[in-house]
Amino acid sequence: MASIKNIVKVMNFHSLIRVDKAREVAEEYFEIEQELTKMMYKIIYNKNLVLDKKILVSNNKGAVINIYLGNDLGFCGNFNHQLLQAIGEDKDNYKIIVGKKIFPKEEDKVLIKITKEDFFHNYYKIEEIIYEYVMGHDLKEINVIYNHYYNVNDIRFEKKTLFPIELESDKEKELNLDVDYVIEADIKEVITSILALYLCYQIKILESNSWASENVMREKVTRDSIDKIEEMEKTLKQKERKEKKYKAFKRQISNYKNNIRE
């Protein structure tokens, strides 16, 4: 029991160190993500570019890529449970798997599986895949499946579509989509490059959000586990005290009986 408690305490300590930083990063990215998406709306839904058919559209015969954001460590409740279930049910689409805790047994249509640590140090491996499909106009859809952090009491399992970029109706009124751009380069090549860069950046933003969810959940799970272990220890001590009292009482009775006989 003591060794388990020490392990849980170490995991709780690490999560406490990370959780505030992870939350700050996720909350900072909320605004960045909104501004980045607005910028893409202005380009993708620009009326002049749409009329000139210069916009990169979804290829209905292209690939659907689902990106699953898991983790490498345990002690985080059901963080990976729904991800594993979704991966198991995803038979038809290409997959990018992040986090060794959700590595599938069957690797059919898995483009790459990468640990969370490797994600930070070798992100170019994912970038190469995204650029290949975008620049080859062989992409129908990109989705990210992950645990989305809203606040410490609100973490939801979500599927976010990054491509095609759908303009939200309530955002259209806020944007000026009539700008007439002066472009001297190949506009399709420029937009395709911007789109690929946008998708790669969005994946990193969502991974940071997922990291916040992971650490919030781990801190809660390990804190609850420590409380339960301490409660079990308390119950065990109470039981031991009762047993000692019972044995002492039996000795007293035995001694009393012996004294009467004498």
Side-chain angles (χ1 to χ4, degrees), residues 135-198:
M135 302 303 283
H137 304 287
D138 190 25
L139 188 62
K140 179 180 180 181
E141 193 174 304
I142 287 186
N143 303 296
V144 178
I145 297 91
Y146 69 116
N147 291 284
H148 188 95
Y149 168 84
Y150 289 95
N151 58 59
V152 291
N153 298 311
D154 188 5
I155 294 173
R156 306 176 203 169
F157 180 72
E158 292 188 354
K159 177 180 178 180
K160 184 178 179 68
T161 299
L162 298 185
F163 181 82
I165 300 172
E166 299 292 341
L167 177 60
E168 300 171 18
S169 56
D170 59 326
K171 299 291 184 183
E172 188 171 357
K173 296 177 182 179
E174 304 173 9
L175 303 172
N176 179 10
L177 302 177
D178 293 318
V179 177
D180 193 6
Y181 296 108
V182 177
I183 302 169
E184 296 181 358
D186 183 337
I187 182 58
K188 282 194 174 183
E189 185 176 339
V190 170
I191 291 175
T192 302
S193 298
I194 291 173
L195 176 63
L197 180 63
Y198 163 78

Side-chain angles (χ1 to χ4, degrees), residues 2 30 49 54 61 63 72 76 86-87 110 118 120 138 144 151 162 202 208 210 221-222 231 251 257 259:
F30 283 153
L49 294 177
K54 301 296 186 183
K61 295 183 180 179
D72 292 346
C76 51
I87 292 170
V110 175
D118 207 21
F120 296 126
D138 190 25
V144 178
N151 58 59
L162 298 185
Q202 274 283 44
S208 295
S210 173
V221 168
T222 51
E231 186 179 338
R251 282 197 301 269
K257 288 179 178 179
N259 290 335

Side-chain angles (χ1 to χ4, degrees), residues 86-97:
I87 292 170
E89 294 171 354
D90 188 359
K91 305 294 185 184
D92 301 324
N93 305 312
Y94 291 103
K95 293 174 278 291
I96 294 174
I97 312 291

Side-chain angles (χ1 to χ4, degrees), residues 11-12 15-16 19 75-76 214-224:
M11 295 301 293
N12 180 257
S15 62
L16 282 170
V19 70
F75 290 99
C76 51
E214 172 189 341
N215 283 285
V216 168
M217 292 174 76
R218 180 175 292 111
E219 194 282 325
K220 184 179 185 304
V221 168
T222 51
R223 177 165 33 90
D224 291 344

Side-chain angles (χ1 to χ4, degrees), residues 1-18:
M1 184 73 74
S3 61
I4 294 173
K5 184 178 180 180
N6 289 335
I7 293 171
V8 176
K9 278 188 171 181
V10 169
M11 295 301 293
N12 180 257
F13 177 72
H14 282 301
S15 62
L16 282 170
I17 292 173
R18 296 170 180 161

